[in-house]
Amino acid sequence: MSVPLIRVDSRDFHHSPFALARAIIFASRPFRDPNPCDEGSNCVDIVNELARQHGLAVIAFDTYEEMNDVDAWIRDFFVSGLDQSVRVLIAGRKPLAGSWIASPAWRQILQALPLSPFDRETCMKYIQRFGTLENVRADDIYRFTQGHPLTLSLVMALSPSERPKFAKSGRSGEPAHAFAEIAAGWLREVPEEIRHLIEAGSVVRSFNKELLEWLLSCTLSSSSFDAVTRLSFMRLHPGNGWVMHDLLRHALANHLQNSSPEYYGKLMERSARYYLRQLDQSELTDDSFVITNLFYILGGSVMRSNYLANTPENACYVEEVRRDNVKEMLQYMEQRRKNSQNYRKMFWDGNHHELMAAYEQKLLPLLEPLEILPLGRDTIRMVKNHSDEMMGVFVTIPIHRDSIAYLSTFPTTKNYFQVLSAKEFEEHRSPPDQPAGWFIFHAETRKDADHGVESEISRLLMNLSSKRKMILFSTPLEENWRIASRLGYEEVEGAAHYLYGEKYPSRTFRLDLRGRKLLEYCDALIRNAFPNKPMPAAGSFDFSKREQEVAALVMEGMSNQEIAAKLFINENTVKKHVSKLLNKAGARSRTQLFKRLTSPAANR
């Protein structure tokens, strides 16, 4: 009897305990008889039952470094409830930290398995799993990869015709250089006629035929889409569509953004609009997959338009503050209080703004982590660089019946609860496991923090925004007032406080994302992140006035049918205009037309 292997990737679910539990249940279905009542089942019971039936069960969490939001739930609820016949495999780029290693009980049962380079024998065994090699020797592959596990797996994931080009190149050593070559090798197996489909698919986490058609405003033949799915770097993710290997997806998206920024931006906007439409039409009780994909697009776009430019990946990571590591947080706060002074710092808009010493001198002494931690999970999170040095902090208080007593007396939040009506106050008294929202108590970065740390803070904020709840915060910084307004927050009248002095009123803002308000918010974010831009000059192509009108609508991603309705003309007439546009611009497709019209040559 085979051992069930239940695999869950960080990309498979919206990062909440409920969505993760559903992902585990879904991933376990191939090993059992699916039950229509699965939605209400306990994922721990299901995994334990599989282990009892098979004698052993394995559950693997991949890309665990991206699961900070559910780390405590996995450890304290899920893993703690599993039987001894269940093995848990946690794979990630960083070793487990915090409570995993602080507790003697956890340390006793954890076994670290760092993946160091394979020796020749292990490498040969791995290669043999792929069957007979064509036109390449296993020793050549070993020499090229030097036994580096990721490089080895990527080479073996190449099509058989591509492997010899790397194995016989004689190069070895630097994995980063090998990754770039492997990504290029994958691209060489893509036929020219479907290259634009792969480019479009690189801007989203996963896709299906319908999404690609939406992105490119065209109808795809089944044979074209099948050609995409047969490529060696594509895999089918049950329920979520097709997923491109991360290495190639990132390489393609970065290349597209740098070489054709206008086209890249239009694809991003179209994908955001697609997921917004899906969210609007969704009848699911849990639409977390759609929300996750929408905020994947909006997260980067909003940060680019409101906060900061591109930042290096993995520049920092987030760690939850708990009782076992709270001392580090206390030391950080004490250091900030001692060194507080007025200073100027570059903010997200590229300008410098003065921060007051009072912001740290007045607020930090009032923050008592040991009082905040019992109010809910993930209340305090530290942002660290890869030297494990604390560079910032993000403090949020869930709003529910057990936290209102604290919030109603705290200097920065009490005025908000005083201006609420009796009905509004009661709406805030929700059960602790279903908070009405969150109050962002404190979000800061060190003076010497780079943009990567600020990016991580903004990602935490975007994650809150995806939960269909209320988000509140108060700030004395005028620049934050402007950013709040751009992001759809409303100022709560009468809720301002003067903790930092009469000269520095701290306004309170609220974003209500309950129900359909999330749709309105996301629509505003899309319009903010992708403002309408004027049609580039196309004089060099000698378009007629009507052709320029059609070209402008093509640039907006409209289909022939949509253009016909917009201009009140026949769809066949639109086809003729589009054909003339393609001929005059020397383009073979709408994709090429867009690139030609947004190139510098079109404006000369």
Side-chain angles (χ1 to χ4, degrees):
M1 185 179 295
S2 61
V3 174
L5 172 61
I6 304 166
R7 182 177 179 272
V8 179
D9 190 286
S10 67
R11 297 167 296 181
D12 295 347
F13 62 96
H14 181 61
H15 285 188
S16 70
F18 175 75
L20 174 52
R22 290 183 71 247
I24 293 171
I25 292 171
F26 187 86
S28 70
R29 285 183 174 178
F31 309 105
R32 58 189 178 84
D33 294 328
N35 188 326
C37 301
D38 272 353
E39 296 294 329
S41 302
N42 184 311
C43 60
V44 175
D45 292 341
I46 287 177
V47 175
N48 285 338
E49 180 60 30
L50 278 176
R52 283 191 286 271
Q53 292 175 2
H54 295 262
L56 181 69
V58 178
I59 180 161
F61 295 100
D62 203 0
T63 56
Y64 197 78
E65 69 277 4
E66 299 177 9
M67 296 192 192
N68 283 311
D69 293 334
V70 288
D71 173 74
W73 182 87
I74 290 173
R75 181 184 58 252
D76 300 335
F77 173 77
F78 181 73
V79 178
S80 296
L82 295 176
D83 293 342
Q84 292 184 356
S85 53
V86 179
R87 300 292 182 267
V88 180
L89 178 64
I90 296 177
R93 297 180 183 178
K94 292 184 66 67
L96 293 176
S99 292
W100 289 105
I101 60 174
S103 165
W106 283 116
R107 286 202 306 270
Q108 186 176 357
I109 61 175
L110 285 176
Q111 181 180 2
L113 300 170
L115 271 182
S116 54
F118 293 164
D119 58 26
R120 183 183 178 281
E121 181 181 358
T122 305
C123 196
M124 294 298 120
K125 289 181 179 179
Y126 181 82
I127 293 172
Q128 288 171 5
R129 290 173 175 264
F130 291 82
T132 305
L133 298 177
E134 299 178 15
N135 304 317
V136 63
R137 294 168 51 224
D139 273 327
D140 292 332
I141 293 176
Y142 173 64
R143 185 170 57 253
F144 175 78
T145 64
Q146 292 292 290
H148 186 271
L150 179 56
T151 310
L152 179 61
S153 67
L154 293 177
V155 168
M156 297 311 296
L158 289 167
S159 63
S161 62
E162 281 293 329
R163 291 176 193 157
K165 297 176 183 178
F166 297 97
K168 296 179 180 180
S169 68
R171 295 179 180 177
S172 62
E174 289 297 324
H177 180 71
F179 295 165
E181 289 196 30
I182 292 167
W186 269 329
L187 281 180
R188 282 196 291 270
E189 72 173 272
V190 180
E192 185 62 34
E193 58 269 21
I194 63 170
R195 179 69 67 93
H196 65 294
L197 304 182
I198 299 301
E199 288 181 337
S202 72
V203 305
V204 292
R205 291 171 17 129
S206 61
F207 60 85
N208 52 28
K209 185 170 179 283
E210 178 186 281
L211 175 52
L212 282 187
E213 290 178 334
W214 172 274
L215 291 178
L216 297 171
S217 302
C218 67
T219 301
L220 299 180
S221 66
S222 296
S223 59
S224 294
F225 187 74
D226 289 345
V228 171
T229 63
R230 286 196 297 268
L231 294 169
S232 64
F233 50 81
M234 301 298 305
R235 70 178 178 90
L236 179 62
H237 190 288
N240 293 350
W242 289 90
V243 178
M244 192 182 307
H245 194 286
D246 281 345
L247 177 68
L248 182 61
R249 180 164 59 87
H250 291 153
L252 266 180
N254 288 336
H255 175 73
L256 193 62
Q257 184 178 8
N258 293 328
S259 62
S260 305
E262 292 283 346
Y263 178 54
Y264 174 81
K266 183 56 66 175
L267 288 176
M268 293 285 282
E269 180 181 5
R270 292 283 292 175
S271 60
R273 286 289 175 193
Y274 174 84
Y275 287 119
L276 183 66
R277 186 186 68 161
Q278 295 287 97
L279 191 61
D280 187 25
Q281 298 174 351
S282 174
E283 297 179 355
L284 301 174
T285 55
D286 176 34
D287 43 25
S288 59
F289 172 74
V290 177
I291 293 175
T292 298
N293 282 282
L294 178 58
F295 274 82
Y296 171 78
I297 299 296
L298 288 179
S301 303
V302 169
M303 281 190 289
R304 280 191 296 275
S305 61
N306 285 294
Y307 299 111
L308 41 102
N310 296 328
T311 54
E313 290 191 20
N314 304 317
C316 53
Y317 68 99
V318 175
E319 182 178 332
E320 178 193 1
V321 173
R322 302 165 300 276
R323 290 187 177 274
D324 55 86
N325 65 356
V326 72
K327 185 177 179 180
E328 185 177 358
M329 174 67 181
L330 294 171
Q331 291 172 342
Y332 173 84
M333 292 169 57
E334 181 61 27
Q335 191 67 28
R336 292 304 301 267
R337 284 195 291 262
K338 286 181 179 179
N339 297 331
S340 60
Q341 58 182 341
N342 286 1
Y343 66 96
R344 293 178 65 77
K345 182 178 178 64
M346 181 179 287
F347 261 66
W348 301 299
D349 59 354
N351 296 317
H352 286 79
H353 303 278
E354 184 168 300
L355 301 181
M356 311 89 63
Y359 192 60
E360 296 168 347
Q361 293 170 347
K362 299 282 189 178
L363 178 62
L364 292 182
L366 297 175
L367 288 176
E368 293 291 347
L370 292 175
E371 293 181 4
I372 295 174
L373 291 178
L375 299 178
R377 292 186 183 276
D378 297 323
T379 51
I380 308 175
R381 280 166 283 189
M382 301 178 285
V383 181
K384 294 183 172 183
N385 60 23
H386 279 286
S387 298
D388 294 323
E389 188 178 13
M390 190 170 170
M391 302 300 294
V393 63
F394 190 66
V395 183
T396 55
I397 307 293
I399 303 171
H400 51 71
R401 63 186 177 221
D402 293 348
S403 66
I404 281 187
Y406 180 87
L407 293 168
S408 297
T409 57
F410 197 83
T412 63
T413 55
K414 65 180 182 180
N415 289 356
Y416 170 76
F417 288 93
Q418 289 175 359
V419 301
L420 295 178
S421 66
K423 179 181 177 182
E424 290 173 327
F425 188 87
E426 192 59 31
E427 289 177 353
H428 288 63
R429 297 186 72 259
S430 59
D433 61 339
Q434 299 177 17
W438 288 268
F439 221 114
I440 301 175
F441 244 41
H442 188 51
E444 66 156 35
T445 62
R446 268 176 32 175
K447 301 170 189 178
D448 57 343
D450 60 24
H451 285 331
V453 179
E454 293 173 353
S455 281
E456 200 60 52
I457 295 289
S458 62
R459 287 189 186 97
L460 291 171
L461 176 59
M462 291 299 294
N463 187 55
L464 279 184
S465 302
S466 70
K467 297 182 183 295
R468 291 184 181 270
K469 304 289 185 177
M470 289 185 289
I471 305 173
L472 297 106
F473 75 96
S474 64
T475 176
L477 303 177
E478 293 186 17
E479 177 57 22
N480 284 352
W481 299 348
R482 288 189 286 270
I483 290 176
S485 178
R486 288 205 300 268
L487 293 181
Y489 285 75
E490 62 174 359
E491 183 178 356
V492 181
E493 294 295 331
H497 65 82
Y498 294 86
L499 176 66
Y500 312 114
E502 291 298 319
K503 291 173 57 179
Y504 302 110
S506 190
R507 299 180 181 180
T508 296
F509 294 86
R510 175 177 57 200
L511 180 63
D512 190 349
L513 300 177
R514 293 173 294 180
R516 290 188 60 83
K517 293 177 182 178
L518 177 64
L519 280 170
E520 300 169 8
Y521 172 65
C522 290
D523 183 60
L525 284 185
I526 293 173
R527 286 187 277 107
N528 181 36
F530 307 104
N532 290 328
K533 297 180 180 179
M535 170 75 177
S540 60
F541 298 124
D542 193 28
F543 292 160
S544 68
K545 182 178 179 181
R546 175 61 88 181
E547 287 167 353
Q548 289 189 33
E549 292 175 342
V550 173
L553 298 178
V554 169
M555 294 279 284
E556 291 183 17
M558 288 190 178
S559 65
N560 289 345
Q561 185 178 15
E562 291 170 329
I563 294 173
K566 182 81 173 179
L567 298 180
F568 301 101
I569 58 178
N570 187 279
E571 189 173 344
N572 287 330
T573 303
V574 175
K575 291 180 180 178
K576 292 178 182 178
H577 284 309
V578 172
S579 179
K580 289 180 180 179
L581 292 174
L582 295 174
N583 288 333
K584 289 183 178 181
R588 290 181 296 174
S589 66
R590 280 173 168 244
T591 301
Q592 284 191 356
L593 177 63
F594 191 102
K595 292 181 179 180
R596 296 282 169 84
L597 295 183
T598 55
S599 68
N603 295 308
R604 289 202 292 263

